[in-house]
Amino acid sequence: QVQLVESGGGLVQAGGSLRLSCAASGSTFSTYAMAWFRQAPGKEREFVAAISSSGGTTYYADSVKGRFTIARDNAKNTVYLQMNSLKPEDTAVYYCAARLLRTRTNARDYDYWGQGTQVSVSS
């Protein structure tokens, strides 16, 4: 099992940047593929970005490609989401998720979830 704790959310103006962190504990972090999802009020949870267990492969939703970067530090058991050029439509609760081995982009394939961190972007 793995426990996940997100941090780094907040309120930012459009065009600004934030970096989210997700600290993992309880198991061998380097065996888990990691992902970020987000959920806005009244909407379903959606995929944002994912990274393979080694960090060698990344995936992005079209809506964030070129603006967001996912990275991981296996020595620190942490995955990051660098968010640049933020837009009001990026406002949501952002969740970190983990699954063993293979990377996926569907929320249903992830077994472990953090509690979420709020990101609000003002226009």
Side-chain angles (χ1 to χ4, degrees), residues 17-20 67-71 80-84:
S17 298
L18 283 174
R19 188 176 81 155
L20 305 183
R67 299 187 298 122
F68 291 11
T69 302
I70 188 170
Y80 304 97
L81 186 68
Q82 178 66 44
M83 305 186 294
N84 298 328

